[in-house]
Amino acid sequence: MKGRIAVAAGDGIGPEVMREARAVLDAIAARFGHSFEYVDIDAGGAALDKYGIPLPAEALETARACDALLLSAVGGPRWDTLPGRLRPEQALLGLRAGLGAYANLRPARLMPPLRAACPLKDEVLCASNPQGTPAFDILFVRELTGGIYFGERGREGNRAFDTESYTWDEIERILRVGFEAAKARSKKVTVVDKANILESSRLWREAAEAVAKDFPDINLDFLYVDNAAMQLVRAPGRFDVVVTSNLFGDILSDEAAALTGSIGMLPSASLGAGAGMYEPVHGSAPDIAGQDAANPLGMILSAAMLLRHSFHLEREARAVEDAAAAVLEAGFRTPDLCRGAPGERPVGTRAMGAAVREAL
Ligand code: NAD
C-alpha cells in the first residue's frame, strides 16, 4: 500500500525519537512491500521559532490532507514564559481538535522483561492479576477534545477559572470506543469520574449505564478518580479498559506509565473522524535532549499503532511490537530503563532504534 504520513518532529528529544520511528517504518515498508511518503510539518516550539505561532494553518491543513499524523512531543523551557495562547502545547490541542481526534487510546502494559523497572512488589502485582502473575495490561481510553482543557477559562480581577463541561454525545461516543475495545480484551470497562462531587461526572455515569445496555457481555464498574489513583498502585491488575475524561485520563495514564518502567515506553493513538494522530505519552524531555539518551520505544510503538489503526496493517504493527519486545528480552536498555540488573545492555537512542530494526 501507499500511505502519506504527516510528521511533526517537535522539540527537545522529539527529532531524535522521530528519526528512529521513521527508520522503523521504512524498514517495515521495505520488508512488506509498502511505500510511505512523509510530509514534515512545524508544530510547537519549532513553529514558534519560525512563524511566531505554535500551529500555522498550513500545518493543520497538511495533517488533515494526509492519512495519519505522527507527532513526537512539543514544548520546552525556552517557550515557558509565553502567554497561554502562544504556548507550544496549544499546537497539540489545535491538532487534536482540528483532526476531530476525540478518542485517545493509551495502552499501559508491564512487559515481562521490564519487571525490574516496575516499582511495585510482586505480591501487589500478583494479587490483583486474575492470572496470578506479576503483570498488568490496561488500556486507557481518554476523552481528548472536550472537558476542562477546552472549556471556558479566564481571569476576573484576582480570580481565575477553568470550566469542565461535557455533552451527552461527547461522553457517549468515547464510552462506545471503550466498550468496543473491551470486546477484544478481558471484557471489563471501568469508568473513572468524581461523581460524588461533579455534575459532569454524574452525566458520565448516566451515559455509561445507558451505553452498557448495548454491550451485555461487558462488565461495567465505576471508580472515583482519587480511588482509581490509589488502586493503580495497589491493584493494577484489576483494570482492563479505563474510560475517563480528558483531565483524569491525562493524570492517570502518566501514573500508569511510571508502573510500566518508564514514560519513554508508552505509545498513544488519537482517533476520530479524520486522520489518526499518533504520539508517545512522554513530553519533550528537555533535560536529556541532544544526548542520545532518550528511549525511542514509545515513539516506535506509536508508529506501530499508526500501522494498525490508520493503515489496518495488523501483521506489520505486530512485527514492530514483537521487535520491541525482542530487544527488551535481549537486554537492551536506554538509561531510563537501566536498573543495574544482570544481563542489561545499556544503549543510546540510536542503538536502541537500530536494535529494533535488526530484530525486524
Ligand atoms: P516529560 O515527559 O518531557 O519528562 C518527564 C521525565 O521523563 C523527564 O525526566 C524526562 O527526561 C523523562 N522522559 C520523558 N520521555 C523520555 C524518553 N523518551 N526517554 C527517557 N526519558 C524520558 O515531561 P515534563 O518534564 O513535564 O515536560 C517537558 C516539556 O514537555 C514541557 O515543555 C511540557 O509542556 C512538554 N510536554 C509535552 C507533551 C506532548 O508534546 N505531548 C506531553 C507532556 C509534556
Side-chain angles (χ1 to χ4, degrees), residues 271-286:
L271 311 176
M277 175 172 167
Y278 302 85
E279 53 182 320
V281 168
H282 64 74
S284 60

Side-chain angles (χ1 to χ4, degrees), residues 217-274:
D217 295 345
I218 308 289
N219 243 311
L220 168 68
D221 73 345
F222 298 98
L223 274 186
Y224 296 140
V225 63
D226 40 353
N227 189 14
M230 185 169 69
Q231 296 306 326
L232 269 177
V233 291
R234 289 187 62 178
R238 77 173 293 294
F239 295 100
D240 177 19
V241 175
V242 174
V243 186
T244 191
S245 65
N246 205 340
L247 174 66
F248 296 158
D250 192 0
I251 298 167
L252 292 179
S253 58
D254 268 27
E255 184 187 349
L259 302 182
T260 63
S262 167
I263 195 167
M265 287 296 306
L266 296 193
S268 83
S270 302
L271 311 176

Side-chain angles (χ1 to χ4, degrees), residues 269-355:
S270 302
L271 311 176
M277 175 172 167
Y278 302 85
E279 53 182 320
V281 168
H282 64 74
S284 60
D287 52 334
I288 56 167
Q291 299 170 24
D292 195 40
N295 183 346
L297 292 179
M299 185 79 245
I300 289 171
L301 292 170
S302 300
M305 291 187 90
L306 181 157
L307 293 170
R308 172 174 296 121
H309 293 286
S310 282
F311 295 159
H312 308 290
L313 297 174
E314 179 62 30
R315 200 173 41 140
E316 288 79 346
R318 273 181 196 262
V320 175
E321 289 161 354
D322 289 349
V327 300
L328 293 171
E329 194 64 55
F332 290 97
R333 299 283 185 275
T334 41
D336 55 311
L337 298 173
C338 283
R339 295 294 181 275
E344 280 183 2
R345 297 158 77 177
V347 289
T349 311
R350 282 179 187 278
M352 186 60 120

Side-chain angles (χ1 to χ4, degrees), residues 55-67:
L55 182 65
E58 313 82 74
L60 177 57
E61 277 320 304
T62 304
R64 276 206 183 114
C66 287
D67 300 310

